[in-house]
């Protein structure tokens, strides 16, 4: 139930810690508090029919499992006699007991209604937990009292509950809230912080509780205003007397002021003593009991059972269930392996990976991944853990568990990069060889063309068809020009056309050749002093000196050569 307004008193001691703070810890969960919290989030009929509250519990548990948390469910047992009246008021019971019936001599603890809707929700949660390997400890009376005992006896590292009176039962570390998702966190209270910052210990909190309970929540402020804190000192004195009397088994008598006579305790004083006794000596399983030993051992994950329950409760196919839970189970196993290596290293035993007594669950690294800005590795698992082939794990976890796998992966990446560079160089060399071969074939082709041209008997020059000689005479009658060989270059036979010609091989890849001058003479009369220059053909890059066809072909050839070289 908790102490009213105690969370407000402890507000300054609240700490918000990242979810990873819980890794490798054993925690107790007050299951009733979690189910109430999850049920309040999904109160609609559709949410109840779809068991959204149970899905919320499933996702909380899988997040804690991935952190290698050893979880223990703790459930409520019977209702303590001192709280029966409060429970019945909350349930609006017609048979509400009065304050006198809360006396432990008249009313014993009340058994809970195990057939109620809420009790059925608790049963479902326990079934789901068992399939995930989470044991449940059924409390004798209040679950928060049992959690506090396990925490105070160092059998767990902390307790999850919403009931603030867990501090009065002796808990040292209490987690009130948990948030999953991006930047998941928990809200934590440490008793050491409460003692240091507020000066309250367990006994101080009990004193405050008993004062409020004895006077009433509505009248306590008026009491302080009228009498100051003197009444609180009287109550604290009564507590000390009550503790001494309980130790001496004289619970029914208190000392008078003159110490000469005894009188029975009043009902109000007896109520205060009952409150003290309820917190100091709650009914719980002892730390060395068989029930506690049973929940402290490691319980296995039941894969098939989990699939069946998720199909029954949520109508999930087996693939969806595996997608949710198997990566978390694998990450938990990797954390356990990492803890084993860390412990052996601290003991001075640095065993190589293949000599570890437990086989590393990771088979190899597939690639690096980034999730929400954090470094992860996608890994393959040995023997396909429960059918799981690959999943992603945090990079820092893999570094602690098996740095040899990371070194092997980096070496493989370096080898692959080196091989790619070699392949690129070989490909480039092959391209260069191909280019050289193309150049050679092109040169040969040009030589063949020029050799073929040298054997022709005529040279067609369309640009000369309408050309004019130097003297301004029309030369339309000239259509073809005889081509002379090198051997006939120096001979001038009788009856020749009178053409003087210089023959050269034209290489379009070399600079522009010298101008070729052609002279004409009449068939009837040869004019030696002033031969007529018909035209000048310059095979250069200038487009004004070449025929359009020649220009086009030369341009295409140059572009082709440039593209091949590029």
């Amino acid at each position: 139930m908790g102490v009213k307004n105690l969370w407000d008193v402890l507000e300054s001691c609240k700490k918000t810690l990242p979810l990873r703070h819980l890794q490798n810890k054993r925690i107790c969960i007050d299951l009733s508090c979690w189910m109430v919290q999850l049920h309040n989030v999904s109160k609609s009929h559709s949410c109840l029919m779809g068991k959204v509250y149970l899905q919320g519990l499933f996702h909380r548990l899988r997040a804690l499992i991935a952190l290698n948390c050893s979880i223990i469910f703790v459930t409520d047992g019977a209702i303590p006699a001192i709280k029966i009246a409060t429970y019945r008021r909350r349930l609006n019971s017609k048979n509400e007991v009065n304050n006198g019936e809360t006396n432990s001599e008249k009313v014993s603890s009340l058994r809970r209604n195990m057939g109620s809707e809420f009790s059925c929700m608790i049963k479902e949660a326990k079934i789901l937990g068992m399939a995930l390997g989470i044991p449940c400890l059924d409390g004798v009376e209040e679950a928060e009292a049992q959690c506090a005992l396990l925490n105070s006896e160092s059998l767990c590292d902390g307790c999850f509950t919403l009931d603030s009176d867990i501090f009065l039962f002796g808990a040292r570390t209490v987690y009130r809230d948990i948030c999953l998702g991006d930047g998941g966190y928990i809200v934590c209270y440490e008793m050491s912080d409460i003692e240091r910052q507020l000066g309250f210990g367990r006994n101080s909190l009990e004193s405050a509780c008993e004062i409020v309970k004895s006077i009433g929540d509505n009248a306590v402020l008026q009491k302080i205003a009228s009498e100051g804190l003197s009444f609180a000192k009287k109550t604290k004195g009564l507590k000390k007397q009550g503790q001494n009397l309980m130790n001496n088994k004289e619970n029914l008598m208190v000392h008078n002021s003159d110490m000469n006579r005894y009188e029975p305790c009043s009902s109000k004083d007896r109520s205060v003593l009952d409150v003290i006794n309820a917190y100091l000596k709650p009914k719980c399983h002892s730390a060395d009991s068989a029930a506690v030993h049973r929940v402290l051992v490691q319980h296995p994950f039941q894969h098939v059972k989990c699939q069946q329950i998720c199909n029954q409760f949520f109508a999930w196919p087996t693939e969806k269930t595996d997608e949710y839970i198997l990566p978390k189970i694998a990450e938990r196993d990797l954390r356990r392996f990492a803890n084993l290596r860390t412990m052996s290293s601290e003991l001075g035993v640095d065993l190589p990976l293949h000599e570890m007594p437990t086989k590393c669950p990771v088979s190899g690294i597939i690639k690096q991944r980034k999730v929400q800005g954090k470094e992860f590795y996608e890994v393959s698992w040995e023997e396909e853990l429960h059918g799981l082939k690959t999943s992603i794990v945090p990079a820092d976890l893999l570094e602690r568990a098996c740095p040899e796998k990371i070194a092997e992966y980096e070496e493989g990446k370096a080898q692959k990069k080196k091989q790619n560079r070699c392949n690129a160089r070989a490909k480039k060399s092959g391209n260069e060889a191909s280019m050289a071969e193309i150049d050679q074939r092109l040169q040969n082709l040009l030589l063949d063309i020029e050799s073929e041209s040298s054997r022709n008997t005529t040279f067609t020059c369309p640009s000369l068809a309408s050309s004019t000689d130097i003297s301004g005479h029309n030369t339309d009658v000239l259509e073809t020009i005889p081509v002379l060989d090198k051997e006939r270059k120096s001979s001038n036979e009788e009856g020749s056309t009178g053409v003087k010609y210089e023959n050269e091989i034209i290489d379009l890849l070399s600079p522009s050749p010298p101008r070729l001058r052609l002279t004409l003479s009449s068939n009837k009369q040869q004019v030696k002093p002033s031969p007529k220059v018909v035209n000048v053909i310059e095979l250069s890059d200038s487009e004004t000196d070449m025929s359009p066809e020649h220009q086009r072909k030369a341009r295409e050839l140059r572009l082709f050569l440039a593209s091949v070289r590029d």
Side-chain angles (χ1 to χ4, degrees):
M1 287 185 180
V3 180
K4 190 173 183 179
N5 300 325
L6 184 54
W7 289 122
D8 297 332
V9 175
L10 304 178
E11 179 68 21
S12 61
C13 301
K14 180 176 71 174
K15 296 187 295 187
T16 301
L17 303 174
L19 193 61
R20 64 175 181 274
H21 175 78
L22 296 177
Q23 64 181 351
N24 304 321
K25 294 184 182 298
R26 174 180 277 123
I27 56 175
C28 294
I29 296 175
D30 185 346
L31 188 57
S32 297
C33 288
W34 266 24
M35 296 308 293
V36 168
Q37 191 179 47
L38 294 167
H39 180 261
N40 290 338
V41 175
S42 54
K43 282 186 174 180
S44 65
H45 179 72
S46 59
C47 290
L48 292 177
M49 293 300 294
K51 300 188 184 298
V52 176
Y53 60 90
L54 204 58
Q55 291 185 33
L57 176 65
F58 175 81
H59 290 299
R60 283 188 179 186
L61 295 177
R62 60 189 284 266
L64 296 178
I65 287 173
L67 294 173
N68 190 31
C69 285
S70 298
I71 306 170
I72 300 174
F73 282 164
V74 181
T75 59
D76 290 312
I79 301 171
I82 197 172
K83 292 187 176 182
I84 291 177
T86 304
Y87 269 97
R88 286 182 173 174
R89 280 197 301 271
R90 289 185 177 181
L91 295 174
N92 296 321
S93 173
K94 294 181 181 180
N95 299 322
E96 180 178 330
V97 296
N98 55 39
N99 291 335
E101 291 177 342
T102 59
N103 192 303
S104 59
E105 289 183 350
K106 295 181 180 181
V107 180
S108 61
S109 58
L110 182 65
R111 186 179 179 182
R112 297 179 187 273
N113 180 10
M114 304 307 293
S116 66
E117 180 182 356
F118 186 74
S119 295
C120 293
M121 293 168 58
I122 295 294
K123 290 178 183 178
E124 293 172 345
K126 290 169 65 175
I127 292 172
L128 179 62
M130 290 291 289
L132 296 174
I134 300 172
C136 182
L137 178 60
D138 295 322
V140 178
E141 287 187 346
E142 293 192 278
E144 62 266 29
Q146 188 69 63
C147 290
L149 183 142
L150 295 177
N151 187 214
S152 62
E153 294 289 338
S154 300
L155 296 179
C156 73
D157 299 297
C159 316
F160 269 103
T161 186
L162 300 176
D163 291 337
S164 58
D165 58 358
I166 192 171
F167 295 104
L168 308 183
F169 287 115
R172 303 296 301 176
T173 302
V174 177
Y175 306 114
R176 185 182 179 187
D177 293 315
I178 181 172
C179 178
L180 305 181
D182 298 343
Y185 64 88
I186 54 173
V187 175
C188 176
Y189 297 82
E190 296 277 358
M191 196 64 193
S192 57
D193 296 334
I194 297 172
E195 293 169 347
R196 183 179 66 257
Q197 297 180 28
L198 302 180
F200 291 158
R202 179 185 179 188
N203 293 334
S204 302
L205 293 174
E206 286 180 11
S207 299
C209 175
E210 72 184 51
I211 290 170
V212 174
K213 284 184 177 293
S214 62
I215 299 175
D217 182 62
N218 295 327
V220 66
L221 294 180
Q222 291 82 353
K223 192 77 172 177
I224 294 175
S226 61
E227 299 183 22
L229 296 177
S230 59
F231 76 95
K233 295 179 180 178
K234 294 177 183 178
T235 309
K236 291 177 67 176
L238 178 62
K239 174 188 172 183
K240 292 181 180 178
Q241 292 181 19
Q243 289 177 336
N244 292 332
L245 292 174
M246 283 188 292
N247 292 335
N248 296 324
K249 297 183 180 180
E250 297 175 353
N251 297 353
L252 300 179
M253 304 296 293
V254 293
H255 285 50
N256 195 3
S257 59
D258 56 6
M259 300 293 292
N260 292 325
R261 61 187 178 86
Y262 296 95
E263 63 180 6
C265 298
S266 66
S267 60
K268 180 175 290 189
D269 294 340
R270 184 62 194 216
S271 176
V272 171
L273 292 177
D274 288 341
V275 171
I276 295 171
N277 193 47
Y279 286 124
L280 290 178
K281 297 181 179 180
K283 294 181 180 180
C284 299
H285 296 290
S286 63
D288 57 352
S289 65
V292 172
H293 288 171
R294 178 182 59 82
V295 297
L296 293 179
V297 300
Q298 184 174 308
H299 290 68
F301 164 63
Q302 304 177 33
H303 184 204
V304 177
K305 186 69 174 177
C306 182
Q307 291 175 336
Q308 294 172 350
I309 290 173
C310 289
N311 180 264
Q312 176 186 348
F313 289 161
F314 316 134
W316 289 352
T318 57
E319 295 80 9
K320 185 173 182 177
T321 303
D322 290 348
E323 181 182 351
Y324 276 136
I325 195 62
L326 290 185
K328 305 302 182 181
I329 296 293
E331 185 175 337
R332 180 195 66 183
D333 292 349
L334 186 60
R335 288 189 188 277
R336 290 177 177 174
F337 184 80
N339 294 340
L340 179 62
R341 297 207 76 180
T342 302
M343 290 174 58
S344 62
S345 179
E346 291 174 352
L347 295 174
V349 183
D350 293 324
L351 296 175
L353 191 64
H354 65 278
E355 292 184 8
M356 291 294 295
T358 302
K359 188 176 182 181
C360 178
V362 173
S363 173
I365 300 176
I366 299 175
K367 62 180 177 180
Q368 287 179 289
R369 298 280 294 273
K370 242 182 186 178
V371 180
Q372 298 173 355
K374 297 180 180 178
E375 295 293 334
F376 283 77
Y377 284 104
E378 183 178 354
V379 301
S380 57
W381 300 99
E382 287 284 356
E383 301 176 358
E384 297 184 3
L385 181 66
H386 297 293
L388 180 67
K389 297 180 180 179
T390 63
S391 67
I392 60 172
V393 296
D396 59 340
L397 172 59
L398 199 65
E399 177 67 31
R400 290 194 302 112
C402 46
E404 296 89 345
K405 298 289 184 181
I406 298 180
E408 180 182 338
Y409 170 72
E410 295 294 340
E411 183 180 353
K413 277 179 60 177
Q415 290 290 341
K416 187 175 181 180
K417 190 179 294 185
K418 183 178 179 181
Q419 183 65 33
N420 290 340
R421 285 198 297 266
C422 292
N423 292 340
R425 284 197 297 267
K427 185 177 180 180
K428 185 176 180 181
S429 300
N431 291 340
E432 291 176 353
S434 299
M435 290 296 298
E437 183 181 355
I438 292 173
D439 286 344
Q440 184 62 41
R441 291 176 61 186
L442 184 59
Q443 290 287 349
N444 295 337
L445 180 61
L446 292 174
L447 291 175
D448 291 343
I449 293 173
E450 292 164 359
S451 176
E452 182 69 21
S453 298
S454 64
R455 290 192 294 269
N456 290 338
T457 57
T458 60
F459 178 77
T460 304
C461 185
S463 61
L464 299 179
S466 60
S467 61
T468 308
D469 62 7
I470 298 175
S471 302
H473 296 89
N474 191 356
T475 57
D476 293 339
V477 294
L478 180 62
E479 294 182 356
T480 59
I481 302 175
V483 180
L484 306 178
D485 295 336
K486 287 184 180 180
E487 293 79 9
R488 300 172 57 191
K489 176 173 64 176
S490 57
S491 62
N492 283 322
E493 297 179 356
E494 293 292 332
S496 66
T497 59
V499 179
K500 294 181 179 179
Y501 178 79
E502 294 179 3
N503 186 23
E504 289 186 13
I505 296 176
I506 300 174
D507 186 0
L508 295 180
L509 297 178
S510 62
S512 300
R515 293 184 175 182
L516 178 64
R517 296 181 178 274
L518 300 178
T519 59
L520 293 177
S521 61
S522 175
N523 293 333
K524 298 181 179 180
Q525 184 178 1
Q526 182 175 1
V527 182
K528 294 182 180 179
S530 56
K532 293 183 180 181
V533 179
V534 177
N535 200 353
V536 177
I537 301 176
E538 182 180 2
L539 297 178
S540 65
D541 291 341
S542 175
E543 297 182 358
T544 58
D545 296 336
M546 292 188 295
S547 67
E549 184 68 18
H550 196 169
Q551 293 172 13
R552 183 181 64 79
K553 291 184 178 180
R555 191 181 304 112
E556 290 178 356
L557 184 59
R558 284 196 299 273
L559 292 175
F560 170 72
L561 292 176
S563 65
V564 170
R565 285 189 178 123
D566 290 340

